[in-house]
Amino acid sequence: MPFNSLAPQLSRLGPGLVLSIAATGLAFTIHGVFPAVPAMTLAVGLGLLSANIPGTAVLTAGRARPGLDFAGKHLMRAGIVLLGLKVSIGDVLGLGWLSLLLIAAVVLVSFAGTYGLARVLRLPGEAALLIATGFSICGASAIGAIAAVRRIKHQDTVLPVALVTLCGTLAIGVLPLLMQPLKLNPEQFGAWTGASVHDVGQVVATAQTAGTSALAIAVVVKLTRVVLLAPVAAAAGVHQRFVHVKKRTNGGDDPAGGSDGRFPPIVPLFVVGFLAMMALRSLGWAPQAGLEIAAAVQDILLATALFGLGSAVRVRTLIHTGGRAVLVALGSWLLIASLGLGAAWIMIR
């Protein structure tokens, strides 16, 4: 890109990107002091604060907004690609077929239950889809992937991301308190955490309270749910293409289609990148040092993206327009926690 074209872009995106990077640095610093609080949660929290404190609200809504939106959309996708390097098919298959079927059932039932609840409470179809996907699979990453496939506007992902992140944070505090009353051993608690908590970082923060054995199984169970992101994204893409073709055939308006008449992709390029990275990890072609660097970069990208998304949430607007969505989120959180607990009891006796 010529410099005379690049300079205006840097001028437009620079303030928001600098703010996002600075906030991400602060989030990781606080996480270093208080390791129990995930950096991703802190990033969203800082974004929420920046959007609702008078001194910074003007900046996040004005000059910094283009860069913040860029971070929330494009850096999120880059983070999803690198997320694939955390998934090894060998580790997933090592759980056994019964466990794999149970995890898939938890994802499918929680997705269907959340979507159904959202529609009963009359949330718009795309909001219902995003909340159901985020809560049942892998939080903000899944929301970003499905939004791309369905060509959902970036601003429409803000509320679902905020809800899934805040409910995942709730799990960090609540689930460890229930371990003893429910008489769970560390392995059962780890399986429960991996099957029911949304974001990978939140799973780690929750499971590590029960020790290394709980953490080990929690991460594998969680990453098994992450694997389902690709087929769910493909299914959403197939459905979107079917709707696209039907509208074109009937001569109706197709807001999801491009102005150039092209079909929407079945699987977006960054999900293909996720699958490629997963294959690289599974085949053992990624050196350990590279995996560690990629994991650090992925955390930074996702935290920066989550700050950008959080900075678009106005609490006043959330109170007035998001009440039903909050009820759906809490209902979904209870549903997947219950399903995950049942699956954990069956998987590990």
Side-chain angles (χ1 to χ4, degrees):
M1 181 182 292
F3 180 78
N4 59 355
S5 300
L6 182 62
Q9 280 289 88
L10 291 176
S11 176
R12 186 174 71 91
L13 300 178
L17 289 175
V18 169
L19 180 59
S20 295
I21 293 168
T24 298
L26 178 58
F28 278 99
T29 300
I30 298 172
H31 171 66
V33 178
F34 304 102
V37 184
M40 305 303 151
T41 299
L42 290 167
V44 172
L46 290 172
L48 289 168
L49 285 175
S50 71
N52 294 280
I53 295 175
T56 57
V58 174
L59 176 63
T60 59
R63 188 182 176 197
R65 192 70 255 155
L68 293 170
D69 287 341
F70 179 90
K73 181 178 181 180
H74 296 287
L75 298 189
M76 173 67 75
R77 296 181 181 185
I80 292 172
V81 172
L82 293 180
L83 180 60
L85 285 173
K86 291 185 175 180
V87 184
S88 169
I89 296 300
D91 291 340
V92 170
L93 294 178
L95 290 172
W97 289 109
L98 175 61
S99 295
L100 293 178
L101 289 173
L102 286 169
I103 294 167
V106 168
V107 170
L108 291 174
V109 175
S110 61
F111 178 94
T114 301
Y115 187 84
L117 177 61
R119 299 304 285 157
V120 167
L121 292 179
R122 298 185 180 180
L123 289 188
E126 300 294 19
L129 176 64
L130 293 179
I131 293 174
T133 304
F135 275 78
S136 62
I137 302 178
C138 56
S141 301
I143 291 171
I146 298 302
V149 172
R150 302 283 297 189
R151 295 189 174 179
I152 297 171
K153 294 179 181 178
H154 169 67
Q155 56 266 34
D156 292 336
T157 69
V158 170
L159 180 57
V161 166
L163 290 174
V164 77
T165 304
L166 294 175
C167 284
T169 304
L170 181 63
I172 297 171
V174 173
L175 265 60
L177 297 177
L178 297 175
M179 180 178 174
Q180 292 302 324
L182 293 172
K183 298 181 180 180
L184 300 174
N185 62 40
E187 290 75 19
Q188 288 173 326
F189 180 76
W192 182 30
T193 300
S196 57
V197 180
H198 316 307
D199 177 76
V200 176
Q202 294 164 344
V203 167
V204 171
T206 306
Q208 69 186 0
T209 61
T212 55
S213 62
L215 179 59
I217 192 168
V219 170
V220 176
V221 171
K222 173 59 191 174
L223 293 178
T224 303
R225 288 168 60 201
V226 172
V227 171
L228 295 175
L229 174 61
V232 170
V238 169
H239 179 264
Q240 182 72 354
R241 178 168 290 207
F242 172 78
V243 172
H244 182 90
V245 171
K246 185 176 180 180
K247 288 183 177 179
R248 289 290 177 88
T249 302
N250 294 338
D253 182 34
D254 183 10
S259 58
D260 55 4
R262 292 183 300 174
F263 291 113
I266 292 177
V267 180
L269 186 60
F270 68 91
V271 176
V272 176
F274 166 84
L275 292 172
M277 294 299 103
M278 189 170 69
L280 196 66
R281 170 67 183 267
S282 300
L283 293 170
W285 293 350
Q288 186 59 39
L291 292 175
E292 293 173 359
I293 293 171
V297 172
Q298 186 235 343
D299 286 345
I300 292 170
L301 289 171
L302 290 184
T304 306
L306 288 172
F307 175 82
L309 290 169
S311 69
V313 179
R314 302 295 186 270
V315 171
R316 185 175 300 176
T317 304
L318 181 63
I319 292 173
H320 287 298
T321 64
R324 286 176 295 171
V326 171
L327 289 176
V328 171
L330 290 174
S332 179
W333 183 74
L334 290 171
L335 174 62
I336 195 170
S338 301
L339 293 170
L341 179 59
W345 271 329
I346 297 172
M347 281 190 283
I348 301 173
R349 300 183 182 182

